[in-house]
Amino acid sequence: MASFRIEGGHLLRGTITPQGAKNEALQVICASLLTSDRVTIYNVPDIRDVNNLILLLKEIGVKVCRESGAVTFQADSLNMQYLQSDEFVSKCAALRGSVLMIGPLLARMGKAVITKPGGDKIGRRRLDTHFLGFKNLGARFRHIEERNVYEIGARKLKGTYMLLDEASVTGTANIIMAAVFAEGTTTIYNAACEPYIQQLCHMLNRMGASITGIGSNLLTIEGVKSLHGTEHTLLPDMIEVGSFIGMAAVCGDGVRIKNVSMKNLGIIPDAFRRLGVKIEVDGDDLFVPRQKHYVVDSFIDGTIMTLADAPWPGLTPDLLSVLIVVATQARGSVLFHQKMFESRLFFVDKLIDMGAQIILCDPHRAVVVGHDRKMTLRAQRMSSPDIRAGIALLIAAMSANGTSLISNIEQIDRGYENIEARLNALGAKIERI
């Protein structure tokens, strides 16, 4: 198990470019299973979750060629016997992104075997939306108790109208990929409409699918017989952009974030501005200047600022951890309401140990009383519980007095490419041990 040793108190200055979007990569890589033609994806991040998914595809027979950020996939000879094996199911259980293979395999091969996938320990992340969507398309489920797996099969998927029980991003992506081959018309209401879902739909349309309503929560999919190959470029990762904004606010001395795809960031910049962070837009770049003080806004009626996560175009839950760290150094108080996952705020205990003034009201709500930089956080020994809490703790350690140690950084590696080298190039002092 690797750790980061962080010497705090060093200001960051310079330019940094975000990697390709992790969550989009997981979706579009799985979409390559829908055709026997070659699919080339550009700007693929070299991170643990994406690399593990690529290895999994190789093991089921997908030909993979990787060259300098571009990866070509060709799924022309899938090993169906291995797809039904306990070894394959066991590997899927260790990688949450593997759940996105179900829709393409069901659509193209007519069957799939799954178990509960792994991933961050941030609370209950049910798969009901996926299952109900497949069932609406005509798939049948069989639970095999001795293997603790579900077999999903369908002779022929048929288009239908469905109202999703929640706007699940992975659920929407999975159902879209299953529906592209369904006979007739599929209408998905309450669909997730994140930019990454939009990117998936545009890619599938270039492959020969017929999807309309892209960007809305009402998608219409006309089934087709087959798809062909294509090329696709990933968006910059909006969560990494937000993480860099947070780093620049807390311990920056003027940081430029390059090529952020401003139109796809939604309200992320405004969420930081509500904490008093200055963000300048320069074309498709963001510049965060050094601020000795930043002051939390209040609502028009004078009540305490509240930041809550919500499905797109609301605030992504993946950035609440970073925003909490930023708020610890602001002037003012903020209530954070994490609505979507009940275990994601527990990491604030580590910030409290560092000297942050935080009241954890319950598993979903925390009040942060900002220090206004009058008190510097203390260095600590910590462990990263998940990807986003891990990067938040790294930001806290970079701003702290003394040398901190963060263990279990494999969690951070799942979502951030070569993060210590990129931050050290800006002036950080981070050592991997």
Side-chain angles (χ1 to χ4, degrees), residues 346-359:
F346 291 156
F347 88 101
V348 302
D349 286 348
K350 300 174 177 64
L351 297 178
I352 293 170
D353 290 341
M354 297 178 78
Q357 294 182 321
I358 304 175
I359 302 167

Side-chain angles (χ1 to χ4, degrees), residues 245-293:
I245 295 173
M247 291 176 188
V250 173
C251 47
D253 189 26
V255 175
R256 177 176 294 272
I257 309 168
K258 292 283 292 181
N259 302 326
V260 300
S261 187
M262 190 66 196
K263 68 179 182 179
N264 289 299
L265 289 182
I267 65 171
I268 289 173
D270 286 337
F272 286 95
R273 289 184 178 114
R274 286 190 165 190
L275 298 182
V277 178
K278 291 180 181 178
I279 303 174
E280 300 170 7
V281 179
D282 182 9
D284 215 24
D285 297 353
L286 296 178
F287 180 75
V288 184
R290 172 68 174 166
Q291 290 177 253
K292 289 186 177 180
H293 303 278

Side-chain angles (χ1 to χ4, degrees), residues 85-289:
S85 69
D86 288 340
E87 181 181 351
F88 172 72
V89 170
S90 175
K91 289 182 178 180
C92 288
L95 175 65
R96 184 163 185 86
S98 66
V99 72
L100 288 161
M101 298 170 63
I102 306 170
L105 290 174
L106 181 62
R108 186 174 167 199
M109 302 298 174
K111 59 183 177 181
V113 177
I114 64 161
T115 188
K116 185 178 179 181
D120 287 328
K121 307 303 180 186
I122 56 175
R124 185 167 175 256
R125 304 172 79 180
R126 59 191 182 87
L127 298 177
D128 298 57
T129 304
H130 305 243
F131 286 6
L132 290 171
F134 298 145
K135 187 176 179 181
N136 284 334
L137 293 171
R140 293 187 176 183
F141 294 80
R142 185 166 70 94
H143 184 219
I144 304 175
E145 292 187 10
E146 59 271 21
R147 296 176 63 197
N148 192 28
V149 299
Y150 288 91
E151 283 188 352
I152 309 173
R155 276 186 157 182
K156 184 67 178 178
L157 297 176
K158 293 191 175 182
T160 187
Y161 170 87
M162 65 181 81
L163 173 61
L164 301 188
D165 63 331
E166 65 173 350
S168 164
V169 176
T170 53
T172 299
N174 237 340
I175 296 165
I176 290 169
M177 290 188 283
V180 291
F181 288 162
E183 188 178 88
T185 302
T186 300
T187 304
I188 308 172
Y189 196 22
N190 194 30
C193 51
E194 272 80 354
Y196 306 146
I197 291 288
Q198 298 174 39
Q199 286 280 94
L200 172 66
C201 291
H202 289 309
M203 173 180 162
L204 291 172
N205 279 350
R206 290 196 303 274
M207 295 171 71
S210 178
I211 305 172
T212 56
I214 299 172
S216 75
N217 67 348
L218 181 62
L219 296 174
T220 302
I221 305 166
E222 298 290 341
V224 297
K225 298 293 185 183
S226 63
L227 297 180
H228 52 75
T230 191
E231 295 185 349
H232 179 79
T233 301
L234 299 178
L235 290 174
D237 195 306
M238 69 169 77
I239 311 304
E240 193 168 70
V241 172
S243 302
F244 293 153
I245 295 173
M247 291 176 188
V250 173
C251 47
D253 189 26
V255 175
R256 177 176 294 272
I257 309 168
K258 292 283 292 181
N259 302 326
V260 300
S261 187
M262 190 66 196
K263 68 179 182 179
N264 289 299
L265 289 182
I267 65 171
I268 289 173
D270 286 337
F272 286 95
R273 289 184 178 114
R274 286 190 165 190
L275 298 182
V277 178
K278 291 180 181 178
I279 303 174
E280 300 170 7
V281 179
D282 182 9
D284 215 24
D285 297 353
L286 296 178
F287 180 75
V288 184

Side-chain angles (χ1 to χ4, degrees), residues 61-78:
V62 178
K63 299 180 181 71
V64 179
C65 178
R66 187 165 196 163
E67 293 182 8
S68 63
V71 187
T72 298
F73 302 87
Q74 187 165 13
D76 57 352
S77 56
L78 296 182

